[in-house]
Amino acid sequence: MYDVAIIGGGVTGLSASIYSARFNLKTIIFDPDFGGLIKTTHLVENYPGFTNVTGMELAKSIEDHARSYKNIEFKKEKVIDIEKNGDCFLIKTEDGEYQAKTIVFSTGAEHRKLNVPGEKEFTNKGVSYCATCDGPLFKDKFVGVVGGSDSAAKEALLLSQYAKKVYIIYRKEKIRAEPINLKRVEENDKIEIINNTNVTEILGRDFVEKVRLDSNLRELKLDGLFIEVGFVVKAELAEKLGVELNEKGEIIINGMSETNVKGIYAAGDCTNFEFKQAITGVAQGVNAVYSIYNYLKDYKIEPC
Amino acid sequence: MYDVAIIGGGVTGLSASIYSARFNLKTIIFDPDFGGLIKTTHLVENYPGFTNVTGMELAKSIEDHARSYKNIEFKKEKVIDIEKNGDCFLIKTEDGEYQAKTIVFSTGAEHRKLNVPGEKEFTNKGVSYCATCDGPLFKDKFVGVVGGSDSAAKEALLLSQYAKKVYIIYRKEKIRAEPINLKRVEENDKIEIINNTNVTEILGRDFVEKVRLDSNLRELKLDGLFIEVGFVVKAELAEKLGVELNEKGEIIINGMSETNVKGIYAAGDCTNFEFKQAITGVAQGVNAVYSIYNYLKDYKIEPC
């Protein structure tokens, strides 16, 4: 019987495990691939204390920190179901079953699909969701970035280091990047913004060759298309346990990372907090564990 | 006219300034001594990403990070008064006056005094509030730590590296350190806990020689006494501006670091959040700036 089961081992879940270990709570953390989505971010400049690191490096620093505690069990397993048994939880993975007194959902989010013809067919054949991972493959090529968020701007900036030309294709009037990144985009000669335009189809033979657009441009020749249109929260397991979600499907938590269900906590990208940063997710993970520490101190858990 | 004035340059205020700079907000941050209270902590093991650093090193990493942005003004000045002028604020320091649209209070807290005879007289003559700073002066000596918090336990552990003997003197039954630190204290042969006991007087000639106790022990010969009985929040300036405080004198904020007064935000040790950690204060500072970014975007500030 574990005191705390953490579902998701990105920086949020890993930080929760650090505090859980320090509180001497018997801790297990699940993820098929520790480190989380931040590993796909090339440049992280906004985790206070690290002026300038890659997402990979930041994830490694936090994972190494967590692994320095010997009372955390790391399971490279995908959680497929969780059942409530009295005051306890039964966690099922593809490889086994585990019992825990409390759950922290730090399941994060995954890249949203564009859902246009050709997207699935050309994934990894010119269509990508991660410039950090695949950018270097497009040296001196023509690429597009679909999206208008800060992440889209950052992807375009990164791609401009490799590609000959980068188009940001955005459905609305004006991209909404952080001002510092917007300025960088505007000053970058390789980047061109195509506003008020959707990609409606991705075309090619073996690899992407062009995309169809719904504006006057009609078509654009491209060697690669990076899709950066937001995230879909992973909260099905929480919902099944009766945890309240908001209209975006995000887990609703309070300032101390408590959900509406006793013994269930959540933190990071899978929650309703709008400002989703590594640093804020990490602090939510830490707060979740403090809430658990108090919960386990004050409540008598019935054996399951 | 600054967009954001940050009052207090500990890790919380410095992190707020990083985000403020990234949002392209005109930012000024005040502190007579940047880095904050964490500089007096010897060992920080719970800021995710830094497995094991001194408080001094962590403060420096975050200050260096902030100083990498050229659109932050750092003022080594003590803020002595703030007045509200319409929708703006007039900030007075010993050296000048400044105007800002918004205020972030990250004023932190200072060490609480014991308020017993001899305390003031022997400060820096055996009485100290910082084991990190003064511990090495007590090599092979007998020292006491007053308090029962996690900080008191950590101070005692640090002092045991220098002193011959360390007494933790605590007024209640059982010290309430983090379990990991409690275990370390219990396993440390040099540390002895004296429970249910108060120090009532500090005695000596030129330096501390002994303390008077209110238990059967009556007296204890000591060369040094480290006082670690909590913190007093610095919130007078906020209170004067109509910001609501709780019964402990802490600034009441919500999950996005907003106070009850428009344009005033707070973060870190000076707030009502019970779990006061470097990482949680930093995230609150970051959230304060996100709230400000939205406030300045949506509201039309009248010129003052």
Side-chain angles (χ1 to χ4, degrees), chain B residues 172-239:
Chain B
K172 292 192 185 172
E173 186 64 34
K174 195 171 181 329
I175 69 165
R176 57 207 152 74
E178 268 193 52
I180 195 168
N181 290 323
L182 182 60
K183 191 153 171 268
R184 288 169 177 167
V185 163
E186 287 168 349
E187 287 170 0
N188 189 313
D189 290 338
K190 282 186 177 176
I191 302 178
E192 185 179 331
I193 302 178
I194 303 174
N195 283 326
N196 298 313
T197 300
N198 291 289
V199 170
T200 55
E201 192 176 354
I202 302 163
L203 301 155
R205 285 171 71 96
D206 300 333
F207 289 89
V208 170
E209 291 170 10
K210 61 182 179 180
V211 296
R212 198 154 279 161
L213 305 175
D214 66 354
S215 63
N216 293 340
L217 275 172
R218 295 174 64 188
E219 275 188 9
L220 197 61
K221 288 206 171 197
L222 290 178
D223 303 299
L225 188 70
F226 289 80
I227 296 170
E228 193 64 45
V229 292
F231 299 94
V232 182
V233 162
K234 291 185 276 183
E236 311 81 31
L237 293 175
E239 190 176 21

Side-chain angles (χ1 to χ4, degrees), chain A residues 148 170 172-176 182 186 195-196:
Chain A
Y170 183 44
K172 291 193 185 170
E173 186 63 36
K174 194 171 183 330
I175 69 165
R176 56 208 152 72
L182 182 60
E186 288 169 346
N195 283 325
N196 297 314

Side-chain angles (χ1 to χ4, degrees), chain B residues 94-105:
Chain B
E94 281 155 343
D95 303 295
E97 294 190 354
Y98 307 87
Q99 284 201 311
K101 295 177 187 169
T102 64
I103 301 280
V104 178
F105 283 109

